[in-house]
Amino acid sequence: QKEVEQNSGPLSVPEGAIASLNCTYSDRVSQSFFWYRQYSGKSPELIMSIYSNGDKEDGRFTAQLNKASQYVSLLIRDSQPSDSATYLCAVNTGNQFYFGTGTSLTVIP
Amino acid sequence: DAGVIQSPRHEVTEMGQEVTLRCKPISGHDYLFWYRQTMMRGLELLIYFNNNVPIDDSGMPEDRFSAKMPNASFSTLKIQPSEPRDSAVYFCASSRGTRRNEQFFGPGTRLTVL
C-alpha cells in the first residue's frame, strides 16, 4: 500500500464548476498535509496546507481534513481554465515526506 | 526574494558518466530536500538535510547516488556512474522548520542519460 493515494484522473470539469480532488494516506501519525499544483513542465507549487481536522479556506480553494478517516480533499470553486494542472497531495509524518502521484485536472471552457 | 536555484536546467550525458546537480536554497531556510520525478513513480524524496546535516537518505536508490551540503547555501546531488534509468527531473526544495513543512521547489533539472 502506498503512503499517499490519489486518483490519477484525468478529472474534467466545466468552467465555473466545483472540482473535487481526493487523497488518502496510510500513516496515522501523519501531522501535516499539503496540496501542490504542478503545471506541465514546471515545478510543484504549494497552494494549501492544513494541520487540523475540518476545513480551511483560501480564496477559491478549500482543503478538508479528516484524520479519523485518513482523508484529505481539495475543493476548487468557480474552476477556471488556468486551474488545469496536476494536483499533488503531500503528507508529512514528522520524519518523512510523501507525495501522491497526482490527479490531472482539466477545466473545460 | 530569489527562490530556490538549480543548475543546470537540462543535462544530457552518456551512460557511465558522472553527473552533478546543484542547488541553492532560499536564504534562511534550514531544510533542503532532493526529489526525483518520473512518470512511472511520481515524485520521490531522495534525501533531506537539516542545518546542512543529512537526516534521512533512505530514498537514495543506490550507492551510485550521493548528496552533500557543505554550507547553508549550497548542495549537490551526484550520480556516478549514471545509467539510462536515472533519466528524470530532479527537484531541489527548501523550507523552514519541519513539522509544518511547507516546501518551496526549484525549477528542476531535467536529466537524460543516453
Side-chain angles (χ1 to χ4, degrees):
Chain A
Q1 181 185 4
K2 292 183 179 179
E3 289 81 6
V4 180
E5 304 227 31
Q6 299 179 250
N7 288 328
S8 62
L11 173 66
S12 294
V13 299
E15 183 174 356
I18 295 176
S20 178
L21 306 165
N22 304 314
C23 170
T24 57
Y25 60 94
S26 60
D27 192 337
R28 286 193 170 274
V29 302
S30 298
Q31 302 172 358
S32 312
F33 308 86
F34 308 87
W35 283 99
Y36 285 80
R37 177 177 61 200
Q38 187 174 24
Y39 292 113
S40 180
K42 301 296 184 182
S43 57
E45 172 193 11
L46 180 67
I47 54 173
M48 288 289 289
S49 58
I50 186 166
Y51 310 106
S52 305
N53 277 329
D55 295 0
K56 178 181 178 182
E57 186 175 317
D58 184 1
R60 295 186 297 111
F61 298 98
T62 298
Q64 300 174 319
L65 174 61
N66 183 326
K67 290 188 177 181
S69 300
Q70 296 177 234
Y71 177 85
V72 188
S73 66
L74 179 70
L75 300 178
I76 307 175
R77 291 182 300 281
D78 187 24
S79 295
Q80 300 297 309
S82 59
D83 295 326
S84 298
T86 296
Y87 289 80
L88 304 170
C89 174
V91 172
N92 184 349
T93 64
N95 296 321
Q96 263 291 347
F97 206 90
Y98 299 103
F99 279 82
T101 53
T103 298
S104 176
L105 171 67
T106 300
V107 180
I108 303 167
Chain B
D1 188 19
V4 176
I5 299 172
Q6 290 186 250
S7 65
R9 294 292 305 276
H10 301 272
E11 177 81 25
V12 179
T13 191
E14 293 188 346
M15 182 174 63
Q17 296 299 305
E18 178 179 294
V19 175
T20 299
L21 310 181
R22 297 172 175 81
C23 175
K24 176 179 170 57
I26 294 172
S27 177
H29 282 190
D30 54 349
Y31 279 80
L32 184 139
F33 304 80
W34 282 102
Y35 290 90
R36 176 174 68 177
Q37 187 173 40
T38 61
M39 289 292 294
M40 292 296 295
R41 301 175 67 91
L43 196 62
E44 301 174 283
L45 176 63
L46 301 176
I47 185 172
Y48 75 92
F49 295 83
N50 177 217
N51 292 323
N52 314 336
V53 176
I55 302 301
D56 190 331
D57 65 353
S58 59
M60 296 285 261
E62 48 198 274
D63 292 345
R64 298 184 297 106
F65 286 70
S66 63
K68 294 182 180 179
M69 192 165 185
N71 57 62
S73 59
F74 183 67
S75 177
T76 60
L77 178 68
K78 186 175 294 186
I79 308 172
Q80 167 62 20
S82 57
E83 296 183 4
R85 60 192 168 121
D86 300 330
S87 297
V89 180
Y90 290 80
F91 289 106
C92 176
S94 71
S95 70
R96 192 193 308 270
T98 179
R99 183 172 178 271
R100 298 195 172 193
N101 211 337
E102 302 177 0
Q103 299 180 16
F104 296 84
F105 282 75
T109 295
R110 182 173 295 277
L111 173 65
T112 302
V113 183
L114 303 174

